[in-house]
Amino acid sequence: RYAYLRKREEAKIEELEDDVRDEEFLFQGVRLSAAELYARSCEGGTAYACARGASLVQPGDPARAAAMMRAGCDAGFDTSCNDLGFAAEHGVGMPVDPALALSLYAKSCASGGAFGCFNQGIFVETGRGGGAPDLAGGARLYGVALTHARALRW
């Protein structure tokens, strides 16, 4: 078993070294900004990088930030779903769409996102996003938000 794991480790190290050589060849000393590095990682499928990169590109290019949030959300990162919900709610980089915002907040909540649960609770309590106001449903979602937040030790 040790030999197998050692062989896998060596193969991974070789793969990473090849990636570094590729980057050096492609960019030959060109320095990328943090936003561009996160964007490249996002394009490579790293969900956290999508959320972080979106926050960096948001001020200058809200449509690009929304696309990065969508990629992170599609990959299951709750923060990206919540942030994209905010963008849909307020029309940042996309048209205002309360129903879409509610569904994105719900997806964030279902993925363990405390902020998504809280925002979904506001929509449910007030009836935004197409449903009738539901105080009990909103309160339940606030409780779920607290549970998720406690799990993160906030």
Side-chain angles (χ1 to χ4, degrees):
R1 180 176 175 169
Y2 176 77
Y4 169 77
L5 292 175
R6 181 70 183 151
K7 184 177 178 181
R8 290 216 32 201
E9 179 184 25
E10 289 171 0
K12 187 63 175 175
I13 290 171
E14 186 176 320
E15 178 184 341
L16 291 171
E17 288 172 346
D18 286 343
D19 288 346
V20 168
R21 282 191 289 277
D22 288 347
E23 292 293 319
E24 288 172 348
F25 176 76
L26 291 172
F27 293 100
Q28 297 181 5
V30 174
R31 305 284 293 165
L32 297 176
S33 68
E36 287 303 316
L37 289 170
Y38 279 120
R40 289 177 49 84
S41 293
C42 177
E43 291 164 5
T46 304
Y48 171 81
C50 296
R52 188 69 186 112
S55 69
L56 293 174
V57 302
Q58 178 88 27
D61 191 350
R64 183 175 181 209
M68 291 175 74
M69 288 180 234
R70 167 61 67 195
C73 183
D74 289 347
F77 192 57
D78 66 87
T79 301
S80 290
C81 295
N82 181 69
D83 292 350
L84 187 60
F86 181 89
E89 179 181 357
H90 298 281
V92 179
M94 61 176 48
V96 172
D97 188 341
L100 176 61
L102 175 58
S103 70
L104 290 163
Y105 290 146
K107 185 173 181 178
S108 173
C109 183
S111 298
F115 290 114
C117 297
F118 182 81
N119 290 327
Q120 183 186 7
I122 292 171
F123 270 58
V124 169
E125 178 185 359
T126 61
R128 292 196 63 203
D134 180 359
L135 295 177
R140 182 188 63 75
L141 286 162
Y142 298 141
V144 174
L146 286 172
T147 300
H148 289 329
R150 286 187 187 123
L152 295 172
R153 295 201 162 110
W154 285 357

